[in-house]
């Protein structure tokens, strides 16, 4: 970025809450399904239908509020935000008014050394988090030149987390969104599925001369991936910096991110900004939260991801980079911890970030869908440690069979005769056989080509179908070669 200027960014993140039912009715809160199959008079906005607030959504908002060290407001109210859109049957969205259920929290992210001049942790303010309902979804065209409205999403509970303008680069916005994602998934209040829109983000960005008051902001909409947040903001920062540097004034506007073109495009300017004519929702009483309710939620909070990160470093001896990857999802972290017991943290980390991750990437699957029982992985790791099966066989043969559901690691190893050979006698015999079969290489080795030792080990392992204990093979080979030399 041009020197002397800085970007100021604040994100608004919409988090779909994983409640059983919708925000104000008993319809199930689920993704997809037969269009309009999960609707009722309340979420269809039929006249006379009355909303009833979902207590589970309130508890989830409190959990988020406590996790970000925010203030849980004892009394907040709901408002109607009015606008017309085909997927908004009521003609208004129920959202919270001037007082939000959560206010003034914070979330830590790594600062971007490129704009902060040094690394360190940055505390990003959370201005507020308020409850509201999602709209339905318009599906355009669908090959028939028409638009179709699906109201299954109408009334799904949302928690809108409004971040303070404390971010200074696309990278920091990316890290902040990651931190929000990690927090809500580890709190268990959101499934975190970006492809399904479970977490959506609008980014506000302005550019100013360093130290100057806040500049005119642009709101970038339609960002639905971590990568796009960084790309859209990098683009927008460059665009605005060029304008500001030329002294060109521009107005407040809303722009959309076009992922195909890699640019933002103007959607509407301030002049045509909507007046939503907010007014208090007459059909809902104030949301009043008792101390006891907050205490109950606090008592039920899981270990927060930041604390878990620190514990992973201390307890399992993994690096910060590894800990970050191990905390990619609650199920992934849980699987790691189940396998890491008994001082096997390093080994478990290697498996999770090696074989397990490779398989997930290959299959494009989540750990939940993989069908790996953490107890099975733990057993396999212990068998390798105990020398009951060698690491290569465990990775290449036992692990895939485990995923195929062939039984426990012990049963697979026994049933398929994969046990590691750790007896000296058969290994000695195999080493002698290999040396006898390769007189040329043996002569070269004696002539000083020490690297051929690896070749011999490979031949022995191959002849032993990979089941021989590699440490012992090395040891025996060395002894025999040494005694050969002595001859
Ligand atoms: P609105 O009510 O129009 O949505 P808010 O004041 O609530 O506006 O701000 C919404 C978001 O915009 C917040 O995330 C905030 O951090 C961010 N924001 C506000 N002013 C600026 C600015 N000048 N530059 C960048 N972001 C800003
Ligand atoms: Mg806003
Ligand atoms: Zn409903």
């Amino acid at each position: 970025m041009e020197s002397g200027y800085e970007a100021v960014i604040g994100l608004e993140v919409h988090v779909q809450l994983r409640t059983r039912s919708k925000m104000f009715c008993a319809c199930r809160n689920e993704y997809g399904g037969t269009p309009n199959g999960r609707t009722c008079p309340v979420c269809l906005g039929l006249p006379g239908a009355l909303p009833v607030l979902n207590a589970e959504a309130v508890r989830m908002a409190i959990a988020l509020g406590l996790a970000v060290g925010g203030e849980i407001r004892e009394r907040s109210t709901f408002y109607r935000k009015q606008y017309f859109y085909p997927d908004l049957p009521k003609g208004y969205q129920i959202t919270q008014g001037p007082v939000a259920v959560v206010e003034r929290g914070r979330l830590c992210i790594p600062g971007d050394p490129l704009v902060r001049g040094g690394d360190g942790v940055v505390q990003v303010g959370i201005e507020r988090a308020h409850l509201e309902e999602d709209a339905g979804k318009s599906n355009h065209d669908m090959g028939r030149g028409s638009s179709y409205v699906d109201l299954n999403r109408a009334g799904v509970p949302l928690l809108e987390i409004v971040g303070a303008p404390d971010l200074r680069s696309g990278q920091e916005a990316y890290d902040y969104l990651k931190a929000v994602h990690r927090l809500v998934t580890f709190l268990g209040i959101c499934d975190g599925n970006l492809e399904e829109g479970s977490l959506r983000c609008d980014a506000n960005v302005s550019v100013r001369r360093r130290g100057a008051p806040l500049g005119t902001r642009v709101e970038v909409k339609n960002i639905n991936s971590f990568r796009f947040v960084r790309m859209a903001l990098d683009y927008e920062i460059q665009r605005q910096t060029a304008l500001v540097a030329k002294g060109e004034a521009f107005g407040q506007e809303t722009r959309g991110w076009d992922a195909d073109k890699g640019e933002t495009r103007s959607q509407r300017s301030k002049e045509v900004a909507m007046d939503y004519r907010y007014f208090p929702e007459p059909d809902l009483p104030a949301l009043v939260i008792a101390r006891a309710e907050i205490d109950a939620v606090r008592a039920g909070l899981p270990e927060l991801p930041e604390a878990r990160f620190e514990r992973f470093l201390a307890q399992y001896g993994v690096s910060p980079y590894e800990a970050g990857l191990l905390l990619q999802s609650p199920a992934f972290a849980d699987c790691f911890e189940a396998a890491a017991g008994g001082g096997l943290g390093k080994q478990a980390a290697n498996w999770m970030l090696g074989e397990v991750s490779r398989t997930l990437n290959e299959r494009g699957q989540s750990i939940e869908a993989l069908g790996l029982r953490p107890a099975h992985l733990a057993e396999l790791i212990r068998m390798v440690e105990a020398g009951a099966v060698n690491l290569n066989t465990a990775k290449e043969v036992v692990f895939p069979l485990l995923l195929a559901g062939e039984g426990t690691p012990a049963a697979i190893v026994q049933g398929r005769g994969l046990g590691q050979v750790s007896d000296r006698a058969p290994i000695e015999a195999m080493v002698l056989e290999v040396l006898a079969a390769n007189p040329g290489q043996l002569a070269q080795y004696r002539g000083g080509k020490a690297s051929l030792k690896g070749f011999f080990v490979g031949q022995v392992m191959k002849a032993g179908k990979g089941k021989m204990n590699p440490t012992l093979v090395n040891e025996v080979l060395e002894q025999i070669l040494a005694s050969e030399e002595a001859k």
Side-chain angles (χ1 to χ4, degrees), residues 175-410:
D175 286 327
Y176 171 78
L177 192 59
K178 280 265 177 192
V180 171
H181 181 267
R182 191 200 253 183
L183 184 59
V184 297
T185 51
F186 277 77
L187 285 173
I189 66 174
C190 175
D191 68 20
N193 193 329
L194 270 73
E195 293 86 62
E196 294 180 358
S198 303
L199 203 98
R200 307 194 294 271
C201 162
D202 297 337
N204 297 270
V205 53
S206 61
V207 165
R208 64 178 172 188
R209 240 179 207 297
R210 224 168 271 278
L214 288 180
T216 308
R217 91 179 131 105
V218 161
E219 183 168 24
V220 187
K221 297 244 179 212
N222 193 25
I223 311 180
N224 50 15
S225 87
F226 294 113
R227 213 160 47 88
F228 288 164
V229 167
R230 188 169 44 205
M231 289 167 69
L233 286 169
D234 285 348
Y235 175 89
E236 190 58 23
I237 290 167
Q238 279 218 322
R239 191 186 70 83
Q240 288 184 28
T241 307
L243 291 174
V244 173
K246 275 191 283 182
E248 268 179 46
F250 57 93
Q252 193 172 321
E253 63 175 344
T254 301
R255 298 176 72 89
W257 167 245
D258 182 335
D260 295 329
K261 293 222 174 81
E263 60 184 36
T264 64
R265 258 204 313 274
S266 186
Q267 286 180 337
R268 61 171 186 259
S269 66
K270 178 82 177 171
E271 290 75 62
V272 293
M274 288 207 237
D275 178 356
Y276 296 109
R277 300 219 159 237
Y278 281 92
F279 79 89
E281 165 62 64
D283 291 339
L284 283 167
L287 167 54
V288 175
I289 298 172
R291 275 278 124 208
E293 177 83 57
I294 300 174
D295 292 340
V297 173
R298 186 182 285 114
L301 283 181
E303 182 182 21
L304 298 181
E306 272 181 51
R308 214 166 164 187
F309 179 90
E310 295 301 330
R311 185 169 60 76
F312 276 17
L313 301 186
Q315 185 175 345
Y316 302 116
V318 294
S319 71
Y321 175 74
E322 290 169 326
L325 290 173
L326 292 167
L327 286 161
Q328 60 188 262
S329 79
F332 197 90
D334 290 347
C335 183
F336 162 68
E337 290 217 73
L344 297 176
K346 266 285 175 197
Q347 291 87 334
N350 288 341
W351 273 89
M352 293 303 294
L353 304 179
E355 292 312 295
V356 175
S357 294
R358 205 173 45 68
T359 310
L360 294 180
N361 288 339
E362 267 169 23
R363 302 187 183 181
Q365 259 178 346
S366 69
I367 184 112
E368 289 92 337
L370 187 63
L372 172 64
R373 299 251 299 268
H376 284 168
L377 180 62
E379 180 181 324
L380 183 55
I381 293 175
R382 267 183 256 114
M383 286 175 73
V384 171
E385 278 310 292
V389 60
N390 82 40
L391 185 58
N392 269 329
T393 308
K395 283 183 181 171
E396 279 156 32
V397 188
V398 185
F399 185 64
L401 292 171
L402 203 55
L403 295 181
E406 211 178 278
T408 68

Side-chain angles (χ1 to χ4, degrees), residues 8-12 127 162-165 204-206 214-215 217:
V8 175
I9 300 163
L11 299 192
E12 293 167 281
E127 292 179 348
V162 183
N204 297 270
V205 53
S206 61
L214 288 180
R217 91 179 131 105

Side-chain angles (χ1 to χ4, degrees), residues 22 24-28 38-44 151 154-155:
K22 291 187 183 178
F24 300 114
C25 62
C27 292
R28 267 188 309 134
R38 292 190 305 279
T39 54
C40 74
V42 173
C43 55
L44 288 174
L151 296 174

